[in-house]
Amino acid sequence: MALPVLRSNSTPERWDPFREIEDLYTQMGHWMDSTFGRSDQSTAGWAPLADVSETDDAYLVEVELPGVKREDVSIELSGQDLVVAGELKEQEREGTLRHRTRRTGRFSYRVRLAEAVDADAVSATLNDGVLRIRVPKSEAVKPRRIAITEG
């Protein structure tokens, strides 16, 4: 069986593999949003990349926030739950934006710390696009060296 050949006077549109990937990404985003009940990506927000490490006396949390101003970030500690939230505001641009891969809008990062912490001694700095948070452990959970006596 032969397939029909379509002939046209117009020139065919050039195939753009990057356009195909972008369309696929958009379709998958819509599928994920409908599956998990998110209706609008701008209200759902995004989660920045972060590292959490633990020392004997504290938790150290580093969150990547390039381009975010200190006044646009909030840090809350409730029990063992640490929440970093804020907004990366879109820059005003001239001309037409042709392609965007950087995220803007509301963001939120949440982590549950494994042990009791000292909420009054938490400190945070924002430098070179990295938010560093030090959450000291409670005195009750810090390791103690026990001396062995004779007897």
Side-chain angles (χ1 to χ4, degrees):
M1 174 176 171
L3 296 174
V5 175
L6 298 176
R7 296 181 189 215
S8 171
N9 292 338
S10 65
T11 59
E13 191 175 305
R14 270 186 73 174
W15 179 65
D16 182 4
F18 296 109
R19 168 69 76 184
E20 295 286 328
I21 292 171
E22 189 172 340
D23 290 345
L24 180 61
Y25 181 78
T26 302
Q27 290 172 3
M28 287 191 63
H30 292 305
W31 177 77
M32 293 291 283
D33 291 343
S34 65
T35 301
F36 295 109
R38 294 186 296 185
S39 59
D40 182 14
Q41 187 66 18
S42 63
T43 59
W46 52 277
L49 300 175
D51 292 332
V52 179
S53 56
E54 181 179 4
T55 64
D56 288 340
D57 62 342
Y59 293 99
L60 306 172
V61 181
E62 293 182 335
V63 183
E64 288 186 8
L65 298 174
V68 177
K69 296 179 182 173
R70 183 176 309 138
E71 57 269 12
D72 294 331
V73 179
S74 69
I75 304 168
E76 294 181 14
L77 181 64
S78 178
Q80 293 173 251
D81 295 326
L82 178 71
V83 179
V84 177
E87 182 176 8
L88 177 57
K89 295 181 179 172
E90 188 171 347
Q91 297 176 353
E92 198 169 308
R93 302 180 190 280
E94 291 184 21
T96 304
L97 183 63
R98 303 291 286 173
H99 185 72
R100 169 181 288 167
T101 58
R102 296 189 303 174
R103 292 182 172 183
T104 57
R106 305 275 322 149
F107 63 85
S108 178
Y109 174 76
R110 299 171 184 273
V111 63
R112 180 171 204 117
L113 306 173
E115 297 176 356
V117 295
D118 183 0
D120 296 328
V122 176
S123 62
T125 60
L126 180 61
N127 192 20
D128 295 330
V130 178
L131 176 66
R132 290 177 178 84
I133 306 168
R134 185 177 186 280
V135 184
K137 292 180 181 177
S138 171
E139 289 294 325
V141 298
K142 287 183 182 176
R144 293 187 184 96
R145 181 168 215 103
I146 312 271
I148 302 172
T149 59
E150 286 188 44

